[in-house]
Amino acid sequence: MSNNTEEQLTQNVLDSMAQAPNPRLKTVMTSLIRHLHACIREVDLTQEEWMSGIQFLTRTGQMCDDKRQEFILLSDVLGVSMQVDAVNHRSLDGATESTVFGPFYREGAQELPLGATISKDGRGEPLVMTGQVLSSDRKPIANALLDVWETNENGLYEQQDPEQPDMNLRGKFRTDSEGRYTFMGIKPVSYAIPDDGPVGQLLRALGRHPFRPAHIHLLVSADGFVPVTTHLFVKGDKYLASDAVFGPKDSLIVDFIRHDSTEEAARYHVTAPFYTVEYTFVLKPIGK
Ligand code: BEZ
Ligand code: FE
């Protein structure tokens, strides 16, 4: 144990955890130590680089408060959040694919009647979203809950923007007896994730941009089914192939169809141009 040479050191750290009472913690830490030590040896990490890493993580922690979670943002831009999502959703059985949750969800959005809008300030281009929630065997799920949130047309979530009404562009909707839903929102826009902190510095240092492709967030759930946290992305968005947080999956990229007819718009009590999108969500029964 006293022979802490480069070769022996990794094994000595692993041996030090031999009596760890929590076997899962031991498994995770064993793998983490192996990979961390291998990385240091692979790149011949200098003392200065090690110190700037420590300072970066310190600044990341100092940036966190009840409104800002810089560590989750770091996990997101490093693809860690999406990797965790991937290993936890290996068997979908036809269920809707999930993607990153993001830091802008708020509990307590109002439940609204089908057909209502989540826009409280009328800004942005109107969007009519319709579809159905089905189980893996394609049977409609009545009373499923869709909890939705999106940015305003300026790319900001309401808690980032003092100009927006509280809980703007958030709402919950329940499917009808045929599993159908309709609600209104606004056409999503692409936007930059918060880049005024250490994560933004890292992105710039890596020659990366902070943008996410336009999307609307949905958390779809129903009694007896595995809930899905997902987005619908706007087909054709220029950031789909370079999302700062690696969120897009092909099955979640959909056509947001533009309509210019004023007669059609009047039918939905909106003004032209407006957009429609249709999507079927599929949930997997719990335990299957
Ligand atoms: C979002 O889509 O809201 C989001 C996801 C990850 C990081 C930042 C924002
Ligand atoms: Fe988002």
Side-chain angles (χ1 to χ4, degrees):
M1 183 76 179
S2 57
N3 183 17
N4 282 311
T5 60
E6 190 178 318
E7 291 72 28
Q8 190 59 43
L9 184 59
T10 307
Q11 193 54 48
N12 290 346
V13 178
L14 299 182
D15 290 348
S16 77
M17 306 188 294
Q19 307 306 320
N22 179 333
R24 179 63 183 162
L25 179 65
K26 185 173 167 183
T27 302
V28 173
M29 288 305 294
T30 298
S31 174
L32 185 64
I33 295 294
R34 280 212 184 100
H35 287 277
L36 212 48
H37 284 224
C39 167
I40 292 163
R41 285 196 297 268
E42 184 181 312
V43 303
D44 290 325
L45 197 74
T46 67
Q47 301 276 346
E48 292 74 24
E49 288 164 343
W50 169 80
M51 183 47 88
S52 49
I54 297 283
Q55 287 166 344
F56 172 79
L57 291 174
T58 305
R59 289 198 306 281
T60 301
Q62 287 166 339
M63 194 83 195
C64 295
D65 60 24
D66 57 340
K67 291 218 173 66
R68 177 87 177 243
Q69 229 305 350
E70 195 76 357
F71 270 115
I72 295 188
L73 207 55
L74 180 59
S75 159
D76 294 339
V77 303
L78 296 182
V80 171
S81 309
M82 283 302 290
Q83 197 64 266
V84 173
D85 173 74
V87 302
N88 281 279
H89 296 95
R90 280 182 176 137
S91 69
L92 278 175
D93 290 336
T96 298
E97 290 194 281
S98 51
T99 187
V100 66
F101 190 51
F104 293 113
Y105 176 75
R106 279 182 73 189
E107 302 270 352
Q110 203 184 345
E111 194 170 320
L112 299 168
L114 289 173
T117 182
I118 56 172
S119 169
K120 294 186 180 201
D121 60 5
R123 283 160 59 183
E125 297 181 297
L127 168 72
V128 182
M129 184 159 167
T130 54
Q132 228 180 345
V133 180
L134 304 179
S135 63
S136 309
D137 58 4
R138 311 301 290 183
K139 293 206 177 95
I141 306 177
N143 213 34
L145 186 67
L146 293 96
D147 194 345
V148 304
W149 67 105
E150 62 174 328
T151 71
N152 216 335
E153 98 295 1
N154 61 2
L156 294 173
Y157 287 94
E158 50 86 20
Q159 69 265 59
Q160 298 177 287
D161 181 3
E163 301 294 312
Q164 289 185 50
D166 190 40
M167 298 303 264
N168 192 31
L169 294 164
R170 298 174 188 279
K172 290 179 180 161
F173 298 90
R174 288 212 178 259
T175 54
D176 67 13
S177 57
E178 292 176 342
R180 296 190 186 282
Y181 68 86
T182 304
F183 66 85
M184 319 256 239
I186 64 170
K187 183 175 182 252
V189 295
S190 44
Y191 66 85
I193 62 168
D195 67 343
D196 55 342
V199 169
Q201 288 164 0
L202 180 66
L203 290 178
R204 284 185 288 280
L206 294 173
R208 288 176 53 184
H209 69 70
F211 288 94
R212 296 216 63 205
H215 59 272
I216 181 164
H217 293 255
L218 300 109
L219 176 50
V220 185
S221 60
D223 285 348
F225 293 87
V226 179
V228 64
T229 298
T230 195
H231 306 354
L232 292 185
F233 292 94
V234 178
K235 196 189 246 176
D237 189 285
K238 68 174 177 176
Y239 295 112
L240 279 170
S242 66
D243 182 3
V245 304
F246 308 96
K249 294 176 178 175
D250 286 347
S251 67
L252 304 177
I253 300 170
V254 290
D255 268 323
F256 283 63
I257 300 166
R258 181 181 161 120
H259 304 263
D260 288 296
S261 141
T262 32
E263 294 82 57
E264 254 188 294
R267 241 183 284 144
Y268 291 105
H269 309 288
V270 296
T271 50
F274 71 103
Y275 291 79
T276 54
V277 63
E278 194 178 349
Y279 199 80
T280 302
F281 295 95
V282 180
L283 300 182
K284 191 168 114 166
I286 288 171
K288 289 235 172 126

